[in-house]
């Protein structure tokens, strides 16, 4: 069997299906290829979506437990893991089926199977023992990424989990060790801890969420100290061994002068130390596509590889590994193929950690400004002075602006607090539009809302915040 198409898209995640749909909207003939029965990729099947469904349940449980402070008492929740798993899977099935329906409406040719590239303009897809040859004018690689594995922690045991198996929710273990204090580990750790597991987190660096500004992490860290059994930083896992009652883990404290080791047994261990790009695409060597030492496919600003007919987007094309970054790259690649003037040059890509409280930031962080010797002013508004935060009993947040010292232009925005992920888009827009602190101060925000914290942080910069007395330094 043989097919021809203008654009072939390999990988149907948020980057791949966004590329396929946009190309179809522009009138191109498109073939979308993936091993799943519907588009969706890791994000919809095994990442963003199922994790957020479980995090929503965790938040409901947490709010119910705190309601007694407000005069409303609920009984201790009974966790039905089977029903919870079914709810999560129902969310996944509904969204992936929906994306599949949209693909049909757009007349995208969806081919399920495993692809092998056979040259700069050809590939084959194998499914159920049959091969389908596809000849294309352009190919967009959107193959995504997979959980990072550490050889020293490789243990063939169902008690050892990665982010994929953890989202399957096999059970609620009595004790769980999360290896990695990044966003994946903390999100999943939050879910399991709220469901009843005694969760410990180990992070080899000096703090949780490396890369985020410390003042944004502080409200979350304070809350997690009461939710988790232990948080171990500057600590490495050097050995794991399965025993009858669990996994025996050996830790090494790198901050300790004695350098001593300690051991502890856990029912389950979740390794969540990041992801690696899926750049080992079968047959890629038949093209001129180049892969860098970190495993990312090299691309130019239009996301074209060293092979003129092949583009790459999403996780496989470089950091940050975020679904919304992949979707944006998809449009750039398709427009480049269509002959439009388009390049990937965002001023800010938002990052959100969906813990409770959430943490979100975009643009230049305060730490990056110091590293790059960029002179900035930082203006912060504490949520303890924010009326909406007080009414929902979540005053532990903070909103901050990183401003160019000479002009007051917004270079970065950071938010820590309930719903931070919903607020950060205003910061992205401000950066992309070249807004200044003066602009944010003058934009009328609705009251009482959490979004007022953006306006009031700008007022803080001028020493004119209505709800915080902090005169501007002369």
């Amino acid at each position: 069997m043989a097919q021809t198409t203008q654009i072939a898209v390999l990988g149907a995640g948020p980057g791949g299906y966004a590329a396929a749909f946009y190309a179809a909207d522009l009138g191109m003939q498109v073939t979308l290829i993936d091993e799943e029965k519907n588009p969706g990729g890791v994000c919809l099947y095994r990442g963003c979506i199922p994790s957020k469904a479980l995090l929503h349940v965790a938040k409901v449980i947490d709010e119910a437990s705190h309601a007694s402070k407000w005069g409303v008492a609920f009984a201790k929740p009974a966790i039905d893991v089977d029903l919870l798993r079914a709810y999560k899977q129902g969310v996944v099935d509904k969204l992936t089926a929906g994306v599949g329906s949209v693909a049909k409406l757009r007349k995208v040719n969806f081919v399920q199977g495993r692809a092998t590239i056979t040259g700069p303009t050809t590939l084959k897809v194998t499914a159920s023992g049959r091969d389908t040859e596809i000849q294309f004018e352009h190919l967009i690689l959107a193959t995504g990424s997979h959980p990072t594995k550490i050889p020293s922690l490789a243990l063939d045991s169902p008690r050892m989990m990665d982010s994929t198996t953890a989202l399957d929710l096999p059970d609620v273990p009595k004790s769980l060790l999360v290896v990695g204090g990044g966003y994946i580990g903390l999100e999943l750790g939050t879910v399991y801890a709220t469901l009843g597991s005694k969760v410990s987190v180990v992070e080899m660096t000096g703090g949780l969420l490396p890369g985020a500004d410390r003042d944004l992490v502080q409200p979350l860290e304070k809350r997690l100290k009461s939710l988790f059994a232990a948080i171990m930083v500057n600590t490495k896992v050097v050995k794991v061994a399965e025993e009858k009652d669990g996994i025996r883990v050996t830790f090494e404290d790198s901050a300790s002068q004695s350098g001593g080791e300690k051991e502890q047994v856990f029912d389950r261990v979740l390794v969540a130390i990041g992801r690696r790009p899926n750049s080992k695409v079968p047959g890629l060597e038949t093209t001129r596509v180049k892969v860098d030492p970190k495993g990312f496919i090299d691309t130019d600003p239009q996301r074209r590889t060293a092979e003129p007919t092949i583009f790459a987007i999403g996780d496989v094309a470089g950091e940050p590994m975020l679904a919304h970054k992949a979707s944006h790259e998809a449009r750039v690649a398709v427009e480049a193929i269509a002959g439009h003037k388009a390049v990937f040059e965002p001023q800010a890509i938002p990052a959100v950690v969906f813990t409770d409280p959430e943490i979100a930031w975009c643009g230049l962080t305060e730490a990056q400004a110091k590293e790059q010797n960029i002179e900035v002013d930082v203006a912060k508004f504490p949520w303890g002075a924010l009326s909406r935060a007080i009414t929902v009993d979540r005053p532990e947040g903070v909103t901050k602006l990183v401003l160019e010292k000479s002009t007051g232009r917004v270079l970065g925005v950071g938010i820590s607090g309930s719903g931070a992920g919903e607020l950060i888009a205003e910061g992205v827009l401000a950066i992309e539009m070249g807004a200044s602190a003066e602009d944010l101060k003058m934009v009328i925000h609705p009251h009482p809302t959490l979004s007022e914290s953006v306006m009031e942080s700008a007022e803080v910069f001028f020493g004119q915040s209505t709800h915080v007395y902090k005169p501007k330094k002369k």
Side-chain angles (χ1 to χ4, degrees):
M1 297 179 63
Q3 298 180 14
T4 59
T5 188
Q6 285 179 275
I7 296 182
V9 182
L10 181 52
Y17 74 71
F21 292 180
Y22 187 40
D25 290 345
L26 294 182
M28 300 181 189
Q29 183 187 22
V30 185
T31 297
L32 179 61
I33 305 154
D34 197 273
E35 294 185 49
E36 299 286 353
K37 66 178 181 179
N38 276 310
V42 168
C43 181
L44 267 66
Y45 281 98
R46 297 174 293 279
C48 321
I49 299 306
S51 67
K52 303 314 168 280
L54 294 177
L55 281 162
H56 172 66
V57 173
K59 185 174 183 179
V60 170
I61 294 173
D62 185 66
E63 288 187 342
S65 70
H66 282 84
S68 60
K69 294 169 53 181
W70 316 326
V72 181
F74 294 94
K76 183 178 179 180
I79 309 298
D80 187 324
V81 177
D82 291 335
L83 279 178
L84 179 55
R85 192 185 300 114
Y87 160 70
K88 180 265 300 181
Q89 191 58 46
V91 171
V92 171
D93 292 344
K94 182 177 182 178
L95 285 171
T96 53
V99 177
S101 296
V102 174
K104 292 177 182 176
L105 289 172
R106 281 186 158 100
K107 295 181 172 54
V108 170
N109 177 33
F110 183 71
V111 179
Q112 184 181 7
R114 182 170 179 79
T116 300
I117 297 173
T118 54
T121 58
T122 57
L123 58 79
K124 69 176 180 179
V125 181
T126 303
S128 302
R130 299 180 64 186
D131 289 344
T132 300
E133 301 289 338
I134 297 176
Q135 184 170 353
F136 53 82
E137 294 177 14
H138 291 94
L139 170 66
I140 298 176
L141 296 174
T143 48
S145 61
H146 61 275
T148 299
K149 295 183 179 180
I150 304 177
S152 61
L153 301 185
L155 186 64
D156 187 14
S157 168
R159 294 180 182 271
M160 295 289 294
M161 302 188 295
D162 59 19
S163 57
T164 299
T165 51
L167 286 169
D168 289 337
L169 206 68
D171 57 24
V172 179
K174 291 183 179 179
S175 61
L176 171 69
L177 174 68
V178 177
V179 182
Y183 74 96
I184 297 175
L186 296 186
E187 288 181 3
L188 290 174
T190 295
V191 169
Y192 276 89
T194 308
L195 294 178
S197 293
K198 187 177 180 181
V199 175
S200 299
V201 174
V202 57
E203 166 60 40
M204 67 182 298
T205 69
L208 300 178
L209 293 173
D213 282 339
R214 294 301 91 192
D215 54 352
L216 298 182
V217 178
Q218 189 176 12
L220 172 63
E221 192 166 17
K222 183 178 179 180
R223 194 170 178 88
L224 291 181
K225 284 180 179 177
S226 63
L227 180 64
F228 292 167
I231 298 175
M232 299 168 277
V233 296
N234 289 314
T235 304
K236 293 191 298 184
V237 174
V238 294
K239 184 180 179 182
V240 292
E242 187 167 24
E243 298 183 354
K244 180 181 178 181
D245 298 326
I247 303 292
R248 181 172 293 277
V249 181
T250 304
F251 301 98
E252 181 181 86
D253 186 350
S254 58
S256 172
Q257 293 182 351
S258 61
E261 296 182 350
K262 61 179 180 179
E263 295 182 344
Q264 190 173 342
V265 177
F266 298 89
D267 289 331
R268 287 185 178 273
V269 174
L270 164 60
V271 180
I273 55 170
R275 301 183 66 83
R276 291 287 182 269
N278 291 330
S279 54
K280 294 182 179 179
V281 182
L284 192 64
E285 68 280 0
T286 64
T287 71
R288 288 179 284 179
V289 174
K290 296 179 181 178
V291 179
D292 73 16
K294 292 183 178 181
F296 294 111
I297 291 177
D298 284 334
T299 61
D300 68 11
Q302 292 188 316
R303 291 306 178 247
R304 184 181 281 103
T305 70
E307 185 65 69
T309 57
I310 300 179
F311 292 69
I313 62 174
D315 290 3
V316 77
E319 298 277 9
M321 293 185 179
L322 298 170
H324 42 279
K325 173 253 194 184
S327 298
H328 187 79
E329 287 178 309
R331 301 183 75 87
V332 170
V334 170
E335 288 184 355
I337 291 171
H340 301 168
K341 292 181 179 180
V343 293
F344 183 71
E345 51 181 8
Q347 297 299 306
I349 301 175
V352 182
V353 184
F354 291 91
T355 46
D356 188 18
E358 294 178 355
I359 300 176
W361 67 93
C362 62
L364 189 73
T365 67
E366 189 176 355
Q368 288 172 337
K370 291 178 180 178
E371 292 171 1
Q372 299 172 27
N373 294 318
I374 298 175
E375 290 191 356
V376 297
D377 284 317
V378 176
K380 300 181 186 180
F381 184 80
W383 284 24
L386 187 62
S387 58
R388 181 58 176 164
I390 301 298
T391 63
V392 297
D393 198 19
R394 297 307 302 270
E396 70 273 21
V398 62
T399 297
K400 79 172 187 176
L401 306 177
V402 180
L403 306 167
E404 189 174 45
K405 196 171 188 66
S406 59
T407 65
R409 184 166 61 96
V410 182
L411 300 180
V413 178
I415 306 173
S416 180
S418 180
E422 303 295 337
L423 301 176
I424 196 61
E426 182 177 359
V428 178
L429 182 62
I431 295 170
E432 291 288 354
M433 298 300 291
S436 66
E438 180 82 17
D439 295 323
L440 292 183
K441 184 188 76 166
M442 294 179 65
V443 173
I444 299 174
H445 288 64
H447 175 78
T449 63
L450 301 176
S451 69
E452 286 179 287
S453 66
V454 178
M455 175 186 69
E456 293 229 36
S457 61
E459 292 178 349
V460 166
F461 173 68
F462 293 101
Q464 301 166 354
S465 172
T466 302
H467 297 100
V468 172
Y469 180 66
K470 190 175 182 182
K472 187 174 179 63
K473 294 180 181 179
K474 296 181 179 180

